[in-house]
Structures are given as C-alpha cells and as structure tokens.
Amino acid sequence: HPNSGRTDKSSLFGMVDHNANNRDNYIYTSFIGVGLDFNTDLVSKISKVRGCNYLSVHNNADFVKKLDAEFSYMVSPLVFNLRLTLQ
C-alpha cells in the first residue's frame, strides 16, 4: 500500500528519491491526491524530494484543470536551490 508503512529503498519513497537524485537520468515525480483520504506524513516527506510535486484535487473539474491548463507548470521543475538577494 503506497500511502502508508515502509520507507526503505524498495518502497515508493525510496524509488522516488533514487530516481530524483540519479545523475545519469533525473526522473522527477508528481503525485495527485484525490479526495481527502491521504497520508499527510508520507506526502510531506515525498514532496521534499528534489523535483517532486504533490497536489490534491477534490472533484472532476479540479482534476481536468490540473491536467489541462496547469500541466506544464506541474511537471517541469524550473529551478533548484535558488538564492535571491535583494538590496
């Protein structure tokens, strides 16, 4: 069951972390939670992995909007480790 339990290297978190940090072929992951029943601890941990994205939808209209109008922003990391200094 991917939203509870183990976080070892063969688990969902382990696979996401390994692929996001694989210098030969970075693969980033987006997760979409449907409804209200999800493991917030796991979502919090996974969403901190480099390039990982999590969002939730509550109905059909939200889902269509995310996969249509917002898709390119959802699956394409723009920048990592940004530091901004204002003077």
Side-chain angles (χ1 to χ4, degrees):
H1 199 262
N3 67 347
S4 64
R6 300 174 28 213
T7 58
D8 58 77
K9 291 292 182 195
S10 63
S11 69
L12 177 63
F13 175 78
M15 289 185 293
V16 169
D17 186 55
H18 171 76
N19 288 320
N21 293 295
N22 181 351
R23 292 174 191 250
D24 294 328
N25 187 21
Y26 295 115
I27 299 173
Y28 304 120
T29 307
S30 293
F31 290 91
I32 301 175
V34 179
L36 300 175
D37 187 23
F38 61 91
N39 184 330
T40 55
D41 291 335
L42 181 62
V43 167
S44 177
K45 185 174 182 180
I46 287 177
S47 64
K48 291 178 184 167
V49 172
R50 174 185 174 94
C52 187
N53 183 29
Y54 172 80
L55 58 110
S56 62
V57 296
H58 299 286
N59 56 48
N60 246 7
D62 284 349
F63 188 73
V64 169
K65 180 180 174 186
K66 295 291 181 192
L67 291 182
D68 185 23
E70 300 175 12
F71 184 78
S72 60
Y73 300 109
M74 181 177 74
V75 298
S76 301
L78 300 176
V79 66
F80 295 103
N81 303 320
L82 175 67
R83 290 183 188 201
L84 180 64
T85 304
L86 300 174
Q87 295 182 4

